[in-house]
């Protein structure tokens, strides 16, 4: 594919609603990452998928956040019962698999989804 | 835990070299130094990475000190399009297959005409 795509580009929701954010990684990239970037802040790691391995969920801020990756390609990040502090840009990245002992592969980022919780 | 320290902001005149410093005094022997940048309203973009030796590609040069406790990203001829936040990242690689990166606050580079 041309690059990592994310949808929607922007999402405005009311507090308490659930939202789903979608990420289409680059074809052939088995690693997929979700990050969150609050206004004026750096990127905060959320979750990492690598092939068929169990995902690394250590960055998810609460149990309201979950993500899945179907068929090893498209990923969906779900936020349940959204709160105002969830407002941020949610970025997805993909990469080739990292080999043990080698450097992390270059991550290619999508344009992000800007989430605003009112 | 970003493990790196960068200045909050820097300015550079167009056409001049931009030298962005980064301190990573606790870096371990098998950790790499990565640089990404983020232009306003876009996702981060990979620039360059290195382990011990200096590296150069079509975008930039990376100079790593001999003790590896600091590095400098050099944009040889900065343009207005290089205005962005530049992130210096130390990969938390300890022989695992974990490819996550820790982004700090970065340096806001502003290139002025």
């Amino acid at each position: 594919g041309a690059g990592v795509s994310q949808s929607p580009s922007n999402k405005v929701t009311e507090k308490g609603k659930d939202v789903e954010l979608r990420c289409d990684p680059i074809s052939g990239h088995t690693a997929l990452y979700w990050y969150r970037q609050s206004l004026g802040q750096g990127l905060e790691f959320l979750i990492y998928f690598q092939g068929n391995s169990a995902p690394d969920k250590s960055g998810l801020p609460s149990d309201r956040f979950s993500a899945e990756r179907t068929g090893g390609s498209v990923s969906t990040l779900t936020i349940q019962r959204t709160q105002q502090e969830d407002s941020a840009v949610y970025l997805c990245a993909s990469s080739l698999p990292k080999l043990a002992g080698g450097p992390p592969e270059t991550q290619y980022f999508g344009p992000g989804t800007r989430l605003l919780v009112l | 835990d970003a493990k790196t320290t960068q200045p909050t902001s820097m300015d550079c005149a167009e056409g001049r070299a931009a030298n962005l410093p980064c301190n990573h005094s606790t870096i371990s022997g098998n950790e790499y130094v990565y640089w990404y940048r983020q232009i306003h309203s876009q996702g981060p973009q990979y620039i360059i990475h290195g382990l011990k030796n200096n590296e150069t590609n079509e975008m930039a040069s990376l100079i790593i000190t001999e003790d590896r406790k600091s590095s400098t990203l050099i944009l040889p001829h900065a343009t207005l399009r290089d205005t962005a936040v530049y992130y210096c990242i130390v990969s938390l690689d300890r022989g695992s297959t974990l490819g996550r990166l820790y982004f700090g606050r970065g340096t806001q580079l502003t290139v002025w005409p």
Side-chain angles (χ1 to χ4, degrees), chain B residues 15-88:
Chain B
R16 298 281 192 168
N19 298 288
L20 291 89
C22 179
N23 289 322
H24 31 79
S25 59
T26 61
I27 194 171
S28 63
N30 61 348
E31 292 183 321
Y32 291 75
V33 179
Y34 277 74
W35 284 83
Y36 279 73
R37 74 178 182 183
Q38 187 174 24
I39 295 171
H40 183 61
S41 298
Q42 298 182 21
Q45 174 192 26
Y46 167 81
I47 301 174
I48 199 167
H49 76 277
L51 182 63
K52 296 180 182 178
N53 300 321
N54 299 336
E55 302 288 344
T56 296
N57 63 21
E58 65 278 4
M59 290 183 68
S61 294
L62 175 60
I63 308 298
I64 302 175
T65 57
E66 190 169 345
D67 63 8
R68 303 213 318 127
K69 292 184 177 182
S70 66
S71 61
T72 301
L73 178 75
I74 301 173
L75 307 180
H77 306 287
T79 71
L80 299 179
R81 289 175 294 180
D82 292 323
T83 293
V85 177
Y86 287 76
Y87 296 99
C88 171

Side-chain angles (χ1 to χ4, degrees), chain A residues 65-118:
Chain A
F65 288 73
S66 63
E68 62 178 20
R69 189 177 184 192
T70 55
S73 181
V74 171
S75 177
T76 302
L77 177 69
T78 300
I79 309 174
Q80 296 178 310
R81 304 180 303 281
T82 52
Q83 303 295 312
Q84 289 180 332
E85 60 263 29
D86 299 334
S87 297
V89 176
Y90 288 81
L91 289 156
C92 174
S94 71
S95 75
L96 293 170
K98 178 186 177 300
L99 301 177
E105 292 290 336
T106 297
Q107 294 185 23
Y108 295 85
F109 284 81
T113 293
R114 286 157 185 77
L115 175 65
L116 176 61
V117 181
L118 301 176

Side-chain angles (χ1 to χ4, degrees), chain A residues 31-58:
Chain A
L32 187 146
Y33 313 78
W34 283 98
Y35 295 86
R36 173 170 76 171
Q37 188 171 33
S38 301
L39 187 63
Q41 304 294 312
L43 275 73
E44 174 189 3
F45 167 80
L46 297 178
I47 189 169
Y48 162 60
F49 295 90
Q50 173 52 58
N52 296 322
S53 302
D56 175 3
K57 304 179 181 180
S58 59

Side-chain angles (χ1 to χ4, degrees), chain B residues 2-15:
Chain B
K3 295 186 63 173
T4 62
T5 304
Q6 299 176 252
T8 302
S9 63
M10 293 184 66
D11 293 340
C12 178
E14 187 176 22

